[in-house]
Amino acid sequence: MSVRELFDTMGYGPAPEGDAPVRQWIAQHGGRFGHYIGGQWIAATELFEVTEPATGAPLARVAQGTAADIDAAVVAARAALPAWQALDDHARARWLYAIARGIQKHARAFAVLESLDNGKPIRETRDIDIPLVVRHFYHHAGWAQLLEREFPGHHAYGVVGQVIPWNFPLLMLAWKVAPALAAGNTVVLKPAEFTPLTAIRFAELVHEIGLPPGVFNLVTGDGRTGAALVAHEDVDKIAFTGSTEVGRAIRVATAGSGKGLSLELGGKSPFMVFEDADLDSVVEGVVDAIWFNQGQVCCAGARLLIQEGVADRLLDKLRDRMEQLRVGAPLDKGVDMGAIVAPVQLERIRQLCATGVAEGATCWQPSWCVPAHGSFHPPTLFTNVAPSATIAQVEIFGPVLVSMTFRTPEEAVALANNTPFGLAASVWSENINLALDVAPKLKCGVVWINSTNLFDAAAGFGGYRESGFGREGGREGMWEYLQPVRAHEAAPLPVIGEGAMPDAGSDAERDDPSAPAMPPIDRTAKLFIGGKQARPDSGYSRTVRSLRGVAVGEVGEGNRKDLRNAVEAAQAAAGWSTLTGHQRAQILYYIAENLSARADEFAMRIVSMTGDARAAGEIEVAAAISRLFSYAAWADKHDGAVHDVPLRGVALAMHEPIGVVGVACPDPYPLLGLVSLLGPLLATGNRVVAVPSERFPLAATDFYSVLETSDLPGGVVNLVTGSRDALIRTLADHDGVEAVWYFGSHTGATAVETASAANLKRTWTEWSGREWLDPRTGEGREFLRRAVQVKNIWIPYGE
């Protein structure tokens, strides 16, 4: 063919990347790989086969990890922990820097190995995956250097178990290992069974550079290996990226264990196109959103939402562009899409496409055929899709795009949020006012404006709802591997254990002259729902007794219907979340002012329940007033950040309220405990359904009369008295509650964490107690971080 003919046809021939060095590396090991534990390579008794997605041919045989292998790795990580944590910040920074340099020096080999093992195009591994891996280790070398100064009062969890998926094998390793090591943890990593080879090569690299033995350990295997890691009693934190179903199982398995947990799960991200968008740019954005990595991306823009006026034009352009996409051998530098990771995943994609057709959607694919051998699937577009259709709700995890239309921005937001997931979204509009108005309304952790699939180590990534909790990258990601250093001091109240409640029928001490004198009780305190006092649905009340067994009052016995009403009232009070921080601060100050005016009354109420000296009651009330002032001060100061990302633009990290939060309050310090938990949630714009102290609830039922006179909108705070563990378990089950804070017994905490797996709501549980009077442990940034979720909004700018 002549040069002229080439220019006329613009045909592309194959441009294969050389894979000989990588295949030689596999051959040097005899095609067999073991575990890396305690700085040594450990042969396995059982092996499984890893195949090449593009051909189906065997690539290597890899060790199947057992519970004994996991135990050996955890023991090695535990043994290495003291010396690793004893290093100064600069020393750990040097190790992460050395890892970054090592990957950089072997970048092409890692890129080719990733393409062989995973099936993704070499252009993606070479130009996106591996550079981001290097970036993460460099970035976290910086955090390691600054750890003591930037995260004072915090320390590493200890031994961290990490389980990563097959769609970005080496990048997911970097996302997890880099911050864990920077924070001073040691690691046991379990890669995906389909794609373990780059993790094995990484283990070789850290061995070559001399990373201390046991700091990083690698155990390969299938789901059984991951389950053994999750269940191991000596692992302090689990970090998991993968499917929502497995994430739920991990949440249940870790419930009540005290382990830290972060989950980055599935998604069904909307790609929203408004009628003023640049449609040619949109088309290229769609290609990157859903056909990047064959659509095997948790944040893939799988739902195309188009404003009606431009829908037909955009879909025509999109079909023309799909005809030009090239699917083929991943090592061909001219292809746009490679192979699906495994036949089982390819079959799942095909089945879901068949379901879409059966449910009435229209399927369109390009006229050309994909390679006959290997696991390939063509780019696919569905139109005429109902919002409730299976393919519009289920994560397909393949190169399949479903499209729907909308008329107004409000309808667009409703469609976008019509999913149990909440990982990412793309918003396309030339009207930046419109785009920035829509972005905060989307229930997801990342929003890209006029762009898609942008990632960087400086910007946190993670989701809402069934897309999991926790963040990876940036300062947000570092917090996931740190916990507060806390020295508990003895609380002045007696320790109140389970079963310590006096007999409800015992009034033996009522006439005891040593018991404190009490005024007559002429009313039963009610519940507080929707800004109003409400009688309990049950029609029952419970007697409140002092520690001496003396009856000091009665409160309503709340039940499931009361909680349902309270949650509905909290949902209806969504306007609280849209107030400015200054407005919320003014109301918190007003609550403190009204509480101060009744300080003596509240102090006496606390004394009557606890039997403490009056001075102790006065101290608790004073601390509650101070705490309200603290969170009023924080209300307009707990700011987000502008991340410095490699983009001609900015990434805004916005602190958003979680929504409706269920709270179970501790028994010690019945007023201060309640205020300490309400304060940060209210300051950050959340609405609360709280279960006050079960033993001493009268401080809370008196407190609602303060709320009634302090301009707090109805429904922002709701108080339901009764059995703490029974009521909070109902809130943990409730789909309308986005998070639960529980401070009580170990049994109750376990039940809350187990129940939360149903919709993967965020939980904060404690059962060991804390000194609420001490501002170092009873208030501050730890509470504020728990009260928000971070949304990163990427905004490119310039011509």
Side-chain angles (χ1 to χ4, degrees), residues 96 100 128-143 151 171-172 174-176 178-179 182 448 453-462 471-479 642-647 651 653 792 794:
L96 270 84
I128 299 173
D129 291 24
I130 306 305
L132 274 174
V133 169
V134 174
R135 163 74 172 143
H136 271 268
F137 279 102
Y138 275 133
H139 179 81
H140 287 93
W143 279 128
F151 301 93
L171 183 56
M172 293 297 100
W175 278 22
K176 286 183 165 47
W448 296 293
N453 277 340
L454 298 177
F455 310 99
D456 186 62
F461 180 87
R471 293 294 182 267
E472 298 189 274
R475 185 183 293 268
E476 305 102 286
M478 281 297 295
W479 286 119
V642 179
H643 291 313
D644 182 13
V645 293
L647 168 78
N792 279 273
W794 294 65

Side-chain angles (χ1 to χ4, degrees), residues 321-346:
R321 183 67 175 89
M322 291 170 68
E323 283 284 357
Q324 307 306 315
L325 293 175
R326 290 153 296 187
V327 177
L331 291 180
D332 185 341
K333 292 186 282 287
V335 304
D336 298 296
M337 290 172 51
I340 303 300
V341 71
V344 64
Q345 178 63 16
L346 177 62

